[in-house]
Amino acid sequence: YPVESIRNFSIIAHVDHGKSTLADRLLEITGTIAKTHHNKQVLDKLQVERERGITVKAQSASLFYSHEGANYLLNLIDTPGHVDFSYEVSRSLSACQGVLLVVDANEGIQAQTVANFYLAFEAQLAIIPVINKIDLKNADPERVEKQIEKLFDIPIDECVRISAKQGTNVEKVLQKVIEKIPPPQCNTADPLKALVFDSTFDHYRGVIANIALFGGEIQKGHKVVSAHTKKRYEVNEVGILTPNEQPTHKLYAGQVGYLIAGMKEVTEAQIGDTLFLYKQPVEPLPGFKSAKPMVFAGMYPVDQTEYNNLKSALERLTLNDSSVTVHRDSSLALGAGWRLGFLGLLHMEVFNQRLEQEYNMSVIVTAPTVPYKAVLSSAKLIKDRRAVQKDMLYIDERRVILKYLFPLNEIVVDFYDALKSLSSGYASFDYEDAGYQAADLIKMDILLNGNPVEELATIIHNDKAYATGKFLCERLKDAIPRQLFEIAIQAAIGKKIIARETLKAYRKNVVAKCYGGDITRRMKLLKRQAEGKKLMRKIGNVEVPRDAFIRVLKRQ
Ligand code: GTP
């Protein structure tokens, strides 16, 4: 396939507007997969994607298409729609010259439609608007086309109206791809320049790197060098994804495919790296801006003997999801672990689920927090923590874009759900970082008989301190077993106590009760007590089972 007959494009859209369904139809009409009724979101291969019905990982597929006597090679990348995974979208776009911007004919333009449009626009890609779900009773494609024209300045006649579900007009989409998206600008005669835009770790074959060739060609036996590590490798296999790996003799400039080259360590296949031929160095491609984590949480193995297994699982999974940041951390109660940064709560949940499902790991995850910058000064400025309105733009008489400045900790936990239920599902939401702002934050300690419990100290907004303090004290009261003396459980800001619960002392000795009774029952109780002791942590004279921390720290 000469470069002129190659088209590389992504499908981008708001959540559920039908990207993966359109991808199914494109795979079918190009004969890449057989046409059956069972093809549902074929490119959503991960178990978590199937269970949740959402795409979390961009996925490539090469399609062969003949049109008016000419043969084309189309490389399609299906991308996630949820805001937490937009890093996947921006990386995918680096391997493309154009996008299909899918918009639901009923819902119209939504938050991630706008966000994804700008990702493609800034990357200077050709944009083809596709109005999907025209089969729906309430579909109003005309209104959506007007929105697109008004907001994105794309003429109405550039839009294609389709039903991905029923296959209506999907062929037209392919024709637009050929017409409107330019072939990649590169040359097979140039030296090899391959961008690693994604990678996965295979238990048997090591690292499988997804690459886009910006110059030259590559085949088995070639020696390649990583611009990042300067390490040299011999290529074992190259191929295309259809959507499963299919080995080919060579990959040429302009193509998107995969490469296996004996990289056994996850650190060797950095996403954003450039590969070139040994002794033919090239200027490396710019790579990717690293993702900026928004939500942080501690992660610990349930059992410390699992530490090393969890470490290697984390390395392998973060290779495939490079937007997660990992730093070593430790806690007196939970042992050695890590502090992980995620792009949002859904991202955090999906990551944990993948650890469980793909690596069989069970972990303790502590309550999520957002990053703060502390200024050590006695006068902290008191500011209104409510959102500040910045902008308002009507897309048409029924839709409006509102821009607000929010404290991140106000939106991170349940804002999205609250917004959805308040607007009966009509409102959608996207955010970007606006930097640090001064705020009335305080450090709240939790005390057991006057001794601070460091795992439970939190930074919190002044207004929320009382409610959270009370909540934590109540939870701890339920989680700590009664002991031989009374325990005061308190929440404190500095020296000021803001909440208190009292855990009464034991009245009776468990063993005394059945002394003289059944000896096996007595031994069983003593054994259980001894086992329990091992998992206790002493704070002052109070014994706290490890389990209690887990119950208090864990999100419900
Ligand atoms: P994410 O990847 O999670 O963002 O979703 P997506 O954009 O890939 O959407 P997906 O293809 O999973 O479709 C979402 C839902 O819309 C599914 O229930 C589809 O069956 C449905 N759907 C997709 N296309 C059409 C269509 O043309 N008509 C109708 N009626 N439903 C459609």
Side-chain angles (χ1 to χ4, degrees):
Y1 283 87
V3 167
E4 306 79 62
S5 57
I6 297 177
R7 301 289 184 277
N8 299 324
F9 64 101
S10 278
I11 311 185
I12 56 175
H14 187 75
V15 187
D16 277 350
H17 281 198
K19 290 177 299 292
S20 305
T21 309
L22 174 58
D24 289 344
R25 294 298 90 75
L26 295 177
L27 291 173
E28 280 172 7
I29 59 173
T30 52
T32 314
I33 55 171
K35 196 170 176 172
T36 73
H37 294 300
H38 306 298
N39 292 333
K40 283 218 172 84
Q41 289 98 10
V42 174
L43 293 181
D44 288 344
K45 292 189 214 165
L46 301 176
Q47 190 181 345
V48 55
E49 297 183 309
R50 300 229 146 245
E51 283 173 11
R52 289 177 181 254
I54 55 166
T55 308
V56 305
K57 192 66 211 152
Q59 201 56 250
S60 329
S62 296
L63 327 174
F64 299 95
Y65 179 61
S66 299
H67 182 58
E68 292 176 350
N71 294 324
Y72 296 92
L73 170 61
L74 314 178
N75 297 304
L76 133 84
I77 306 183
D78 183 24
T79 63
H82 194 282
V83 54
D84 282 17
F85 307 105
S86 61
Y87 191 61
E88 285 288 314
V89 181
S90 55
R91 275 193 298 105
S92 306
L93 296 187
S94 66
C96 296
Q97 286 73 46
V99 296
L100 299 176
L101 178 68
V102 177
V103 190
D104 185 308
N106 178 18
E107 289 197 348
I109 288 180
Q110 297 287 324
Q112 272 77 51
T113 320
V114 179
N116 286 332
F117 166 81
Y118 279 107
L119 285 180
F121 184 74
E122 280 161 17
Q124 301 186 347
L125 304 186
I127 298 169
I128 303 171
V130 175
I131 321 281
N132 188 29
K133 309 197 188 182
I134 55 167
D135 59 295
L136 286 177
K137 209 168 82 231
N138 297 327
D140 190 349
E142 236 159 85
R143 183 172 67 86
V144 180
E145 282 166 359
K146 282 190 192 138
Q147 290 180 349
I148 288 174
E149 187 175 44
K150 172 153 187 206
L151 212 58
F152 303 147
D153 212 10
I154 302 178
I156 287 176
D157 60 10
E158 301 263 305
C159 300
V160 199
R161 296 181 185 186
I162 68 158
S163 162
K165 195 170 185 175
Q166 299 179 346
T168 323
N169 285 343
V170 174
E171 186 94 30
K172 263 197 198 162
V173 174
L174 281 182
Q175 285 157 21
K176 283 267 183 192
V177 166
I178 306 263
E179 256 173 57
K180 301 282 176 191
I181 299 178
Q185 299 289 317
C186 51
N187 202 330
T188 298
D190 288 344
L192 173 72
K193 197 181 217 181
L195 173 72
V196 177
F197 67 93
D198 203 352
S199 30
T200 36
F201 193 89
D202 182 276
H203 292 284
Y204 303 104
R205 296 189 289 175
V207 173
I208 303 178
N210 286 14
I211 54 173
L213 266 69
F214 287 80
E217 54 182 49
I218 191 166
Q219 69 182 71
K220 184 177 170 175
H222 274 170
K223 293 202 172 48
V224 291
V225 178
S226 146
H228 183 71
T229 62
K230 309 284 183 286
K231 282 193 183 170
R232 196 186 346 153
Y233 303 92
E234 183 168 324
V235 177
N236 300 331
E237 185 178 316
V238 293
I240 55 173
L241 297 151
T242 62
N244 296 320
E245 287 136 26
Q246 188 186 319
T248 55
H249 178 54
K250 275 186 182 184
L251 284 178
Y252 299 93
Q255 281 193 327
V256 173
Y258 71 92
L259 161 138
I260 302 175
M263 297 174 175
K264 291 288 173 216
E265 297 292 323
V266 286
T267 47
E268 291 175 286
Q270 292 290 326
I271 287 177
D273 197 358
T274 304
L275 303 176
F276 54 84
L277 284 183
Y278 180 54
K279 291 199 170 150
Q280 293 183 40
V282 294
E283 184 67 24
L285 292 150
F288 306 111
K289 261 197 275 171
S290 49
K292 196 163 178 203
M294 295 284 186
V295 181
F296 292 84
M299 182 176 280
Y300 299 87
V302 170
D303 182 344
Q304 278 292 318
T305 56
E306 285 287 296
Y307 180 85
N308 282 331
N309 288 342
L310 180 57
K311 182 167 175 265
S312 87
L314 275 177
E315 281 170 0
R316 288 167 186 196
L317 190 52
T318 47
L319 172 73
N320 194 236
D321 184 352
S322 60
S323 58
V324 177
T325 60
V326 182
H327 295 285
R328 280 231 303 275
D329 200 0
S330 71
S331 142
L332 284 170
L334 305 174
W338 297 268
R339 187 151 193 79
L340 270 59
F342 302 96
L343 299 180
L345 270 196
L346 176 66
H347 184 210
M348 174 172 131
E349 280 176 28
V350 163
F351 188 86
N352 292 342
Q353 201 174 336
R354 290 189 68 189
L355 262 183
E356 235 165 70
Q357 294 177 336
E358 294 166 38
Y359 293 90
N360 206 12
M361 283 287 140
S362 86
V363 294
I364 300 162
V365 181
T366 64
T369 59
V370 298
Y372 294 105
K373 236 185 214 172
V375 180
L376 298 172
S377 116
S378 55
K380 250 196 179 166
L381 284 167
I382 296 181
K383 276 208 170 173
D384 195 341
R385 85 190 165 85
R386 282 174 308 153
V388 186
Q389 186 168 346
K390 286 288 180 197
D391 196 9
M392 182 153 103
L393 173 70
Y394 280 92
I395 315 180
D396 61 22
E397 62 283 2
R398 283 195 274 170
R399 294 261 167 207
V400 59
I401 299 181
L402 299 168
K403 286 192 184 164
Y404 281 89
L405 200 59
F406 269 104
L408 181 59
N409 70 337
E410 296 292 328
I411 54 169
V412 128
V413 176
D414 57 1
F415 179 79
Y416 187 67
D417 294 338
L419 180 74
K420 278 280 169 204
S421 70
L422 198 72
S423 63
S424 311
Y426 282 109
S428 59
F429 165 68
D430 187 46
Y431 60 79
E432 59 186 1
D433 185 19
Y436 288 95
Q437 301 260 329
D440 186 11
L441 302 172
I442 44 163
K443 178 170 176 248
M444 183 174 72
D445 287 312
I446 300 292
L447 311 174
L448 292 180
N449 279 352
N451 297 303
V453 189
E454 103 189 30
E455 291 81 2
L456 300 180
T458 45
I459 289 176
I460 192 163
H461 195 276
N462 213 347
D463 291 356
K464 300 242 164 110
Y466 285 89
T468 313
K470 186 163 178 291
F471 172 77
L472 282 177
C473 289
E474 283 169 0
R475 271 214 164 179
L476 257 184
K477 187 183 170 190
D478 289 341
I480 301 177
R482 286 184 180 198
Q483 298 178 23
L484 292 168
F485 43 84
E486 193 175 276
I487 301 169
I489 304 170
Q490 296 168 311
I493 297 168
K495 290 208 160 27
K496 192 169 139 211
I497 304 294
I498 56 163
R500 175 185 170 124
E501 291 287 327
T502 307
L503 186 63
K504 293 256 158 55
Y506 264 142
R507 283 207 201 106
K508 279 181 191 148
N509 184 325
V510 197
V511 180
K513 196 175 161 194
C514 53
Y515 191 63
D518 181 3
I519 182 76
T520 42
R521 177 163 149 74
R522 181 166 174 254
M523 293 310 287
K524 209 155 103 189
L525 277 174
L526 287 171
K527 189 163 166 252
R528 193 181 300 161
Q529 191 190 9
E531 272 171 7
K533 276 242 160 62
K534 274 195 266 170
L535 299 174
M536 295 279 182
R537 170 157 129 67
K538 262 197 140 158
I539 292 164
N541 57 350
V542 182
E543 286 184 331
V544 184
R546 202 164 148 271
D547 190 44
F549 287 103
I550 299 170
R551 278 162 64 189
V552 176
L553 287 171
K554 229 178 163 174
R555 300 169 49 237
Q556 46 285 62

